[in-house]
Amino acid sequence: MNEIKVISKFTIYENSNELNSFDKKLLLKAFEAKKNAYAPYSKFSVGVSLILENGRVILGNNQENAAYPSGICAERVAIWNAASQYPEIKIQKIFICASSQTRTVDKPIPPCGACRQSIAEYETKQAENIEIFFTGETGKIIKANSIGDLLPFSFNNSLL
Ligand code: THU
C-alpha cells in the first residue's frame, strides 16, 4: 500500500488592480460577455473571455433552457466557440466571472466539473497549458496555471 499526495497551486489576487494590464483587459471582456448571459432560471450569469495565441479574444456566457439540462455553461460556449472557429490555434488564457440577480457574488466562481473536463480536452490537444482565472463580481481573483491544478487525475485520450 502506498499513499500519494497531489498538490495544486493557485495564485490569489486581492482584486483586478493586482493583475497586469493585459490580463485586466481580458477580465473586463469576461464581464462584458456576462451581460449577454441567458440565465432566466438560475438568475446566475457567467461570462468568459479567452485569448488565443493569434491574439483573438473569444467570448462566451451561459445559455439556459426551459428543459434545464439542455442549458450550457459559459466556459463551454467560449471554448467550443474558439475550437469551432480556430481549431488549430492554441488557447492561452481563460477568464471566468459570475454574478447573481439575487445576491452579491463576492467569492471566486470556479468552473464546474464538466467544464474542467472540456478545458482539459483542449489543453491535452494543444500540449500547452491554459491559464485559468476565475472570480465573482467583486473580490478576489484566483489563477491556476493549468487545468491540471483544478482537475488532477483527469480522464484523457491516452486512457482510451
Ligand atoms: N454555470 C456556468 O456557466 N459555468 C460554470 O462553471 C458553473 C455554472 C452556469 C450554468 C447555469 O446556467 C448557471 O451557471 C447555474 O448553475
Side-chain angles (χ1 to χ4, degrees), residues 38-39 42 44 46 62-64 72-75 109-112 115:
Y38 176 60
S42 72
F44 192 81
V46 183
N62 52 329
Q63 298 294 323
E64 297 186 349
I72 187 77
C73 293
E75 294 88 332
I109 301 299
C112 78
C115 289

Side-chain angles (χ1 to χ4, degrees), residues 10-132:
F10 300 96
T11 307
I12 317 286
Y13 301 91
E14 283 307 310
N15 56 56
S16 63
N17 292 328
E18 290 189 356
L19 297 176
N20 65 40
S21 64
F22 184 73
D23 291 346
K24 196 172 170 176
K25 276 192 199 130
L26 287 164
L27 181 61
L28 282 176
K29 296 263 186 201
F31 276 93
E32 282 290 311
K34 184 166 66 59
K35 290 182 188 161
N36 290 339
Y38 176 60
Y41 306 107
S42 72
K43 314 227 179 293
F44 192 81
S45 297
V46 183
V48 168
S49 69
L50 57 83
I51 176 94
L52 301 177
E53 69 174 356
N54 65 3
R56 292 266 171 184
V57 177
I58 308 286
L59 305 179
N61 39 51
N62 52 329
Q63 298 294 323
E64 297 186 349
N65 194 288
Y68 291 0
S70 299
I72 187 77
C73 293
E75 294 88 332
R76 278 173 287 164
V77 170
I79 51 173
W80 291 340
N81 187 0
S84 62
Q85 292 185 74
Y86 302 99
E88 302 311 327
I89 311 292
K90 291 177 182 174
I91 300 168
Q92 292 180 327
K93 300 168 185 245
I94 298 180
F95 294 77
I96 305 162
C97 66
S99 63
S100 165
Q101 284 173 38
T102 62
R103 66 185 179 90
T104 301
V105 177
D106 57 4
K107 289 191 181 66
I109 301 299
C112 78
C115 289
R116 293 179 199 204
Q117 183 69 32
S118 299
I119 295 167
E121 181 70 24
Y122 293 95
E123 203 178 273
T124 303
K125 177 175 177 250
Q126 69 185 38
E128 219 162 278
N129 71 303
I130 301 173
E131 289 182 0
I132 300 150

